[in-house]
Amino acid sequence: AAVHKLQLLPLYSYLQRYLDPKQRQVTKLLAIFVQGCHDLVPPDELRPLARHLADRFVSDRNAPEAMALGINAITNIVNRCPALLDEPDMLGFARDLAAYSKHRNKSVVIAARSWINAVRHQFPILLRKKDRGKFADKTATPIKFGQIDADTEIAGVDLLEAYEAGTLPQDLAAAFNGEKKN
């Protein structure tokens, strides 16, 4: 299956009307919504939707399954569009969702821990010190909107250069030539 990065900005506000825990087939709608998010979607478009998901799904008056579903959806959106974490009001938002790691329901706790891990990986300064972890990179910031993180080097190019120069160890040279080890 191909993954495209289409820019359908009216889709997000259209789907917002139907994102409610009591909606039929809400999991399919959330899957469509999350798959439509990518790093080229402006974070300004996604911020109201993330707030809408938190308001509608993540509250104590909802069922624990709906709470876990909402937290997991927001986590997947942040994983697909990390620039959302760099928005102005995300500090309180990130800490509010991380606070559900002490909830009484196990599925909500697991979803909150996955949220903490996603934020810890992308932008750990948003979390409280106890949630950041011991080895978190405090200088990590999410990729800015529209920024491309391109590789400057191909992995394994040094092995290819050593093979062409003839300085590759015998066991690796045999693997390059397709010979089996005896």
Side-chain angles (χ1 to χ4, degrees), residues 8 11-12 14-15 19 25-37 80:
L8 299 173
L11 174 71
Y12 305 110
Y14 178 75
L15 282 177
L19 292 177
Q25 298 182 347
V26 69
T27 54
K28 288 184 182 179
L29 288 173
L30 282 172
I32 291 168
F33 173 60
V34 168
Q35 287 179 356
C37 298
R80 288 175 162 262

Side-chain angles (χ1 to χ4, degrees), residues 67-85:
M67 293 173 68
L69 186 65
I71 295 172
N72 285 331
I74 295 169
T75 302
N76 287 328
I77 292 167
V78 165
N79 284 335
R80 288 175 162 262
C81 183
L84 182 63
L85 288 175

Side-chain angles (χ1 to χ4, degrees), residues 71 92-103 108-109 111-113 115-116 119 126-128 130-131:
I71 295 172
F93 184 76
R95 289 182 178 179
D96 288 345
L97 289 180
Y100 282 98
S101 65
K102 302 292 184 200
H103 197 266
V108 176
V109 170
R113 286 182 185 164
W115 166 255
I116 290 170
V119 175
L126 289 179
L127 297 172
R128 289 189 174 88
K130 67 176 185 169
D131 292 330

Side-chain angles (χ1 to χ4, degrees), residues 9-19 49:
L9 299 181
L11 174 71
Y12 305 110
S13 59
Y14 178 75
L15 282 177
Q16 184 175 354
R17 289 185 246 168
Y18 300 104
L19 292 177
L49 288 158

Side-chain angles (χ1 to χ4, degrees), residues 139-150:
T139 61
T141 57
I143 295 175
K144 302 287 183 205
F145 171 65
Q147 180 182 355
I148 298 173
D149 190 23

